[in-house]
């Protein structure tokens, strides 16, 4: 057993953390994150040059990673910096293209931005209920329906879209220019889009793609959980620091035992969250990947909310302000629960396993 | 024991209900329902509508223009206002300064200031907190020095809610730096048009503008703007913080939020079923409903005790702690129910015709974040626990 990162991953982690700390500080992040396009093309290119995207695919697919821990290393760094760049779409798309053996040079270099469109307004989490459909049309297929909250969709060049084809989920590539894309910034920063399909041409990537979609979701969950762990670490460290600095009643507020205990409870939850994320990353290519992904997402949903709310409360008014970074970390931590299945949804999946 | 309202109280409830139905403009209740920021005009208009009926200064004695209600009537009124989606009364003049002047002000101050609060001429804001003095309010540093028949004020206040609409501010200032902390503070009224005052907005977590910081540089106001005795401002501050406040538990707002969450969970679809048919989500709502049902009674019990004892005891801190937690939980559910659809930054797609969640839910995430404030301000929930453990448990 070994809980250390490999040398390569450690180096990637260090260089990403250093780069984001220098070039993507939270003031810059807030300028980018809340207005369209919620994307800084120059920084995106530099993040890609550092290898953050190449790390998302295995060697045989042109990358140098592709495993659960490669994904978690990249996203933990992104989470620490609260980076709003659309890397999640790249991570999930890389998983899909790797499984299909499709060339992904343009994805890994950052030249082409991908977004993966799964959720729908009436079926945000459980995709077996999705209503988007595809049908054969000429040489290709035509897609109809609406995909919601497509993360990174506001700047995507290509969408990988899940739609029902002959009663089974299938995956299609849709060019951004062929569809109606309505982009917007989100409450927690970063952009997304509604993808409105109406007989929109799509290239069939895989029919009967349930397993491939699930794998992409598992990888996306590892990414989100690692992002949350990174963001929770920073939030907690900032809070502890504040407890030491802020004086009321003539003493640092960190002298109040009630706050000490709660800071410790936050730490406990973060360590638990880190552990389950490691487990989900370790199992990503195993037979029970979905189960451990669900466990991780369930726990992150709970831990991240606790950390966000406690960080604000223990700061007092200051963390209620836009100017103070913790408020933005808190928003991200709470809102990522609604990506790729919330804490209840994943609990219900684990409950279903119990009954099986 | 009898939990029902008397015949008179029920008649009063019906009277309030029908007045609200006839007089609260839909334009305003709709804005409240949607949860965005209300305009100054809307708040002023609503105050004027209540004042027409004599129902604005609900906690003032009759001789000063209050309606002379019992605590139960005030409770009923607040509950009905929530039910109708009326705006909250802006509390600074009506619930804070008004009662302070009635108790501590001179006859001239009362005669001059109270009518202007009632008719909306003045909009007051509260200058208590400072960057260095939050929970430890008595450590405040804003200095007022007497110079002949004037005060000269220097310092900074912060978190001034709705100060951008105000023309007046009441301040706690240090007037004797050598006395013990609590004994050197005075309560002074300041006209915000006085030279030397600068107000800057503070943007909150969800992007809204409801608080400000206020800077004072050699601000000169008449000595007569002092309320009560010099260096006795702390007594006033404490009076203001502990005097009867029926609304502290926010039960009406939680009832409103509970109904919203239920309606939302019936509308939202999760894979062919309604969200309310998901047992995990239904359990969250049910749990909150149990807590709220108990809180309604806890609230009334404490109201009655306050009525019997003549003043609220430290147990009212229970109302603040549990009341805010229940309300915050309901705001969490309202956001959670929408799933990813809660994410768009409100207002961004106002021009488009894309609908996200059900109509009127676009601020749900913003309201959840904004409402984290309720366990921080007005004495944080930690400070409330300190009060309880000292005063109620004698620990
Ligand atoms: C949205 C908003 C509106 C506001 N409006 C107004 C207004 O209009 N006018 C006004 O004057 N003020 C206003 N306030 C200020 C508010 O009253 C203060 O934020 C509050 O008193 C807490 O002070 P603080 O923010 O400085 O936090 P701090 O006092 O620094 O507290 C930080 C943390 O330490 C905890 N803590 C402090 N002391 C103790 C202790 N002894 N034991 C255990 N824990 C402790 C607190 O509970 C909190 O968790 C507003 C605040 C907000 C957020």
């Amino acid at each position: 057993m070994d809980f250390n990162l490999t040398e390569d991953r450690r180096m990637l982690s260090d260089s990403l953390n250093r780069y984001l700390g220098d070039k993507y500080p939270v003031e810059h992040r807030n300028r980018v994150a809340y207005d369209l396009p919620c994307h800084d093309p120059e920084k995106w290119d530099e993040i890609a040059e550092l290898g953050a995207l190449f790390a998302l695919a295995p060697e045989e697919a042109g990358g140098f990673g592709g495993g659960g821990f490669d994904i978690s290393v990249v996203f933990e760094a992104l989470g620490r910096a609260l980076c709003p760049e659309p890397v999640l779409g790249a991570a999930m798309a890389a998983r899909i293209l790797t499984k299909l053996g499709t060339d992904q040079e343009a994805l890994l270099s950052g030249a082409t931005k991908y977004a993966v469109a799964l959720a729908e307004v009436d079926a945000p989490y459980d995709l077996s209920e999705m209503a988007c459909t595809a049908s054969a049309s000429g040489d290709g297929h035509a897609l109809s329906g609406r995909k919601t909250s497509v993360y990174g969709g506001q700047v995507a060049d290509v969408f990988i879209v899940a739609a029902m084809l002959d009663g089974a989920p299938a995956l299609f590539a849709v060019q951004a220019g062929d569809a109606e894309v309505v982009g917007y910034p989100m409450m927690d920063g970063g952009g997304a889009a509604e993808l409105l399909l109406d007989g929109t041409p799509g290239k069939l990537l895989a029919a009967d793609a349930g397993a491939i979609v699930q794998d992409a979701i598992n990888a996306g969950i590892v990414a989100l959980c690692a992002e949350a762990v990174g963001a929770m670490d920073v939030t907690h460290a900032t809070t502890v620091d504040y407890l030491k600095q802020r004086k009321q009643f003539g003493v640092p507020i960190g002298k109040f035992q009630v706050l000490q205990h709660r800071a410790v409870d936050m730490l406990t939850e973060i360590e638990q969250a880190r552990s389950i994320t490691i487990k989900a990353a370790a199992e990503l290519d195993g037979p029970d990947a979905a189960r451990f992904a669900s466990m991780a997402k369930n726990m992150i949903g709970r831990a991240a909310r606790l950390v966000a709310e406690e960080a604000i409360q223990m700061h007092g008014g200051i963390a209620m302000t836009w100017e103070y970074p913790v408020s933005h970390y808190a928003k991200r931590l709470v809102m990522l629960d609604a990506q790729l299945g919330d804490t209840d949804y994943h609990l219900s999946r684990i409950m279903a396993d119990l009954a099986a | 024991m009898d939990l029902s309202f008397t015949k008179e109280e029920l008649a009063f409830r019906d009277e309030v209900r029908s007045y609200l139905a006839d007089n609260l403009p839909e334009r305003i209740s709709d804005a409240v329902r949607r949860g965005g920021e209300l305009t100054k005009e809307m708040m002023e208009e609503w105050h004027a509508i209540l004042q027409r009926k004599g129902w604005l200064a609900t906690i003032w004695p009759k001789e000063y223009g209050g309606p002379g209600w019992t605590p139960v009537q005030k409770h009923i009124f607040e509950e009905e206002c929530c039910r109708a989606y009326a705006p909250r009364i802006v509390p600074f003049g009506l619930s804070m300064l008004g009662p302070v002047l009635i108790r501590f002000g001179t006859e001239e101050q009362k005669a001059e200031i109270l009518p202007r609060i009632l008719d909306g001429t003045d909009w007051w804001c509260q200058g208590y907190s400072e960057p260095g003095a939050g929970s430890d309010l008595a450590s405040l540093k804003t200095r007022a020095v007497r110079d002949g028949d004037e005060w000269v004020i220097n310092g900074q206040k912060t978190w001034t809610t709705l100060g951008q609409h105000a023309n007046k501010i009441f301040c706690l200032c240090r007037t004797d730096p050598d006395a013990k902390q609590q004994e050197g503070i005075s309560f002074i009224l300041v006209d915000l048009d006085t030279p030397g005052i600068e107000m800057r907005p503070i943007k909150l977590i969800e992007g809204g503008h409801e608080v400000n910081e206020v800077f004072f540089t050699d601000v000169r106001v008449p000595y007569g703007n002092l309320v009560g005795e010099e260096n006795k401002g702390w007594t006033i501050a404490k009076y203001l913080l502990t005097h009867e406040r029926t609304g502290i538990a926010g039960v009406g707002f939680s009832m409103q939020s509970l109904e919203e969450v239920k309606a939302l969970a019936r509308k939202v679809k999760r894979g062919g079923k309604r969200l309310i048919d998901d047992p995990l989500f239904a359990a969250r709502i049910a749990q909150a409903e149990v807590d709220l049902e108990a809180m309604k009674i806890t609230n009334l019990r404490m109201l009655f005790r306050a009525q019997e004892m003549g003043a609220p005891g430290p147990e009212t801190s229970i109302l603040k702690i549990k009341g805010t937690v229940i309300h915050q939980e309901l705001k969490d559910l309202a956001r959670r129910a929408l799933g990813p659809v809660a994410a768009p930054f409100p207002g961004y797609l106002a021009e488009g015709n894309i609908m996200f969640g059900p109509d009127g839910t676009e601020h749900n995430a913003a309201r959840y974040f904004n409402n984290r404030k309720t366990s921080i301000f007005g004495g944080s929930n930690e400070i409330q626990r300190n009060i309880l453990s000292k005063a109620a448990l004698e620990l």
Side-chain angles (χ1 to χ4, degrees):
Chain A
M1 212 169 286
D2 183 0
F3 283 103
N4 294 308
L5 289 175
T6 60
E7 189 56 28
D8 289 351
R9 289 184 181 131
R10 173 168 301 286
M11 279 164 56
L12 177 63
S13 168
D14 287 349
S15 65
L16 271 176
N17 279 324
R18 204 173 321 114
Y19 172 83
L20 293 168
D22 284 355
K23 297 291 166 62
Y24 225 123
V26 69
E27 304 74 38
H28 181 71
R29 180 268 176 193
N30 287 347
R31 272 195 300 276
V32 173
Y34 295 100
D35 273 305
L36 287 175
C38 307
H39 165 59
D40 178 338
E42 196 180 307
K43 303 278 189 297
W44 169 261
D45 287 345
E46 288 170 3
I47 290 167
E49 271 160 38
L50 288 171
L53 305 180
F54 283 105
L56 303 174
E59 268 174 52
E60 63 271 20
F64 58 72
F69 293 118
D70 302 298
I71 295 172
S72 64
V73 157
V74 169
F75 279 84
E76 191 171 329
L78 296 171
R80 296 186 73 82
L82 218 53
C83 180
E85 295 297 331
V87 188
L88 182 67
M92 293 175 69
R95 265 324 262 202
I96 293 168
L97 298 181
T98 300
K99 286 268 183 289
L100 297 174
T102 311
D103 171 66
Q104 49 184 303
E105 170 62 30
L107 183 160
L108 299 179
S109 70
T112 301
K113 288 186 288 301
Y114 280 76
V116 177
L118 305 176
E120 299 181 6
V121 172
D122 290 342
Y125 304 143
D126 184 354
L127 300 178
S128 65
E129 304 287 350
M130 68 188 175
C132 253
T133 55
S135 53
S137 154
D139 305 341
H141 288 83
L143 277 64
S144 290
R146 170 181 171 184
K147 290 291 175 183
T148 193
S149 314
V150 183
Y151 294 89
Q154 84 288 3
V155 288
D157 305 298
V158 183
F159 290 86
I160 296 183
V161 181
M164 299 304 279
L165 176 65
D166 302 328
L171 288 170
F172 299 86
V174 172
Q175 301 300 314
D178 291 339
E180 191 182 342
V181 179
V182 183
Y184 48 84
M186 291 183 289
M187 192 70 224
D188 53 327
E194 300 300 293
L195 183 64
L196 307 174
L197 306 163
D198 184 11
T200 308
K203 180 171 156 250
L204 181 66
L205 296 176
D208 208 356
I212 297 179
V213 170
Q214 183 61 53
D215 174 71
I217 290 175
N218 298 341
I221 287 175
V222 168
L224 288 170
C225 291
E227 180 186 349
V229 168
M232 284 194 287
D233 268 345
V234 174
T235 306
H236 185 248
T238 311
T239 304
V240 171
D241 205 45
Y242 193 77
L243 294 182
K244 292 176 183 164
Q245 305 301 325
R246 171 70 171 172
K247 283 196 177 146
Q248 288 290 277
F249 304 99
V251 293
I253 56 175
K255 289 282 173 228
F256 300 125
Q257 199 166 51
V258 64
L259 301 187
Q260 293 171 357
H261 285 190
R262 282 159 61 183
V264 169
D265 288 347
M266 283 166 83
L267 177 68
T268 306
E269 293 305 313
I270 294 170
E271 289 310 324
Q272 285 280 88
R274 192 189 316 280
S275 297
I276 200 79
T277 302
I278 289 172
K279 177 70 176 168
E283 299 285 345
L284 182 58
D285 287 305
D288 291 324
R291 174 172 163 78
F292 292 110
S294 280
M295 287 190 173
K297 196 66 175 39
N298 167 261
M299 176 169 286
I300 289 285
R302 291 179 285 135
R305 178 186 174 196
L306 177 98
V307 168
E309 293 183 350
E310 286 289 73
I312 294 176
Q313 183 67 27
M314 288 163 64
H315 271 86
I318 187 82
M320 284 297 297
T321 67
W322 188 274
E323 200 177 331
Y324 194 76
V326 162
S327 66
H328 300 278
Y329 280 84
K331 283 185 287 185
R332 181 69 194 122
L333 285 172
V334 168
M335 297 304 284
L336 67 67
D337 187 42
Q339 283 178 263
L340 301 178
D342 70 2
T343 194
D344 284 356
Y345 171 72
H346 286 289
L347 187 65
S348 71
R349 291 181 50 109
I350 298 160
M351 288 162 66
D353 282 353
L354 286 179
Chain B
M1 217 167 292
D2 180 3
L3 299 188
S4 47
F5 288 131
T6 62
K7 252 206 337 272
E8 294 73 28
E9 286 163 350
L10 286 174
F12 175 73
R13 188 192 66 191
D14 293 342
E15 187 194 358
V16 173
R17 200 171 280 183
S18 78
Y19 186 76
L20 295 179
D22 295 343
N23 292 282
L24 172 60
E26 211 177 298
R27 182 172 45 78
I28 295 182
S29 59
D30 197 52
V32 173
R33 200 184 305 267
R34 286 176 178 278
E37 283 177 50
L38 297 184
T39 63
K40 182 183 188 191
E41 289 67 33
M42 283 180 180
M43 295 186 257
E44 287 178 334
E45 186 181 343
W46 178 234
H47 280 195
I49 290 168
L50 288 178
Q51 180 52 19
R52 254 195 343 249
K53 180 83 177 164
W55 286 357
L56 180 59
T58 60
I59 59 175
W60 297 10
K62 233 179 159 128
E63 65 262 41
Y64 295 103
W69 287 340
T70 64
V72 174
Q73 282 179 302
K74 289 175 209 164
H75 171 79
I76 291 173
F77 178 73
E78 281 172 17
E79 216 171 89
E80 290 302 314
C81 283
C82 287
R83 210 171 150 270
Y85 286 88
R88 283 172 203 240
I89 300 297
V90 181
F92 308 107
L94 290 157
S95 311
M96 297 184 179
L97 183 61
V100 160
L101 289 178
I102 290 167
R103 172 83 171 69
F104 299 96
T106 62
E107 288 313 313
E108 294 77 31
Q109 284 172 333
K110 288 189 241 183
E112 188 197 326
I113 299 168
L114 295 178
R116 292 166 62 99
I117 295 176
L118 287 179
D119 69 15
T121 310
D122 290 334
W123 185 309
W124 287 89
C125 59
Q126 181 191 19
Y128 274 26
S129 304
E130 299 179 3
S135 299
D136 182 13
L137 185 59
S139 71
L140 59 93
K141 291 203 174 70
T142 295
R143 187 83 166 87
V145 178
R146 186 171 183 176
D147 180 20
D149 54 4
E150 285 183 327
W151 292 108
V152 184
I153 303 176
N154 281 285
Q156 182 192 346
K157 294 293 174 182
T158 190
W159 304 119
T160 319
T161 298
L162 300 184
Q164 71 267 34
H165 301 326
N167 61 332
K168 310 260 183 177
I169 183 168
F170 53 90
C171 293
L172 292 178
C173 300
R174 185 153 306 283
T175 39
D176 182 354
D178 301 322
K180 261 179 58 189
Q181 264 194 353
Q182 282 88 339
E183 287 162 16
I185 294 171
S186 299
F187 191 103
I188 299 175
L189 308 176
V190 178
D191 195 319
L192 283 168
D193 290 331
T194 319
I197 298 180
E198 194 198 338
M199 190 174 300
R200 295 188 200 148
I202 297 175
K203 190 170 166 184
L204 285 186
I205 180 167
E206 84 291 355
H209 176 200
E210 66 180 53
V211 295
N212 304 271
E213 31 183 10
V214 190
F215 298 86
F216 298 81
T217 314
D218 294 331
V219 174
R220 289 180 169 268
V221 301
Y223 182 79
N225 284 14
L226 175 72
V227 176
E229 285 175 54
E230 196 171 325
N231 295 327
K232 290 286 186 301
W234 189 249
T235 317
I236 300 181
K238 273 203 318 213
Y239 173 79
L240 198 157
L241 290 173
T242 56
H243 91 277
E244 190 182 43
R245 279 180 296 166
T246 44
I248 190 175
V251 164
F253 294 102
S254 289
M255 285 165 62
Q256 199 180 65
S257 301
L258 177 66
E259 289 316 309
E260 280 166 19
V261 167
K262 285 185 186 172
L264 185 56
R266 286 189 201 105
K267 278 191 205 134
V268 166
K269 289 272 172 8
R270 286 287 158 81
K273 286 193 300 195
R274 302 177 309 164
L275 179 60
I276 204 149
D277 297 322
D278 167 5
L280 291 176
F281 198 81
R284 287 181 187 272
I285 301 181
Q287 203 68 84
E289 183 159 18
V290 173
D291 290 351
L292 179 55
E293 203 53 47
M295 177 49 66
K296 285 190 213 165
I297 303 301
T298 307
N299 189 40
L300 288 169
R301 281 173 53 217
M302 299 206 168
L303 216 83
F304 266 81
R305 195 177 306 162
Q307 198 170 354
E308 278 167 12
M309 311 291 281
E315 349 41 90
T316 46
S317 288
I318 291 174
L319 301 179
K320 170 84 196 318
I321 297 169
K322 200 68 193 176
T324 54
V325 168
I326 291 172
H327 188 247
Q328 288 175 335
E329 174 66 16
L330 288 163
K331 289 296 168 199
D332 177 74
L333 296 186
R335 170 189 59 72
R336 193 182 288 275
L338 292 175
V341 171
F345 208 96
Y348 221 88
L349 295 176
E351 301 302 314
N353 50 7
I354 284 220
M355 285 297 297
F356 285 90
D359 188 33
T361 57
E362 65 272 24
H363 293 284
N364 282 16
R367 294 330 294 168
Y368 159 78
F369 287 111
N370 179 278
N371 273 293
R372 300 313 304 171
K373 70 190 175 191
T374 60
S375 49
I376 295 171
F377 65 23
S380 74
N381 283 11
E382 290 73 31
I383 295 301
Q384 303 295 340
R385 287 183 176 91
N386 287 347
I387 293 172
L388 275 170
S389 57
K390 278 202 196 75
L393 307 182
E394 298 176 1
L395 289 172

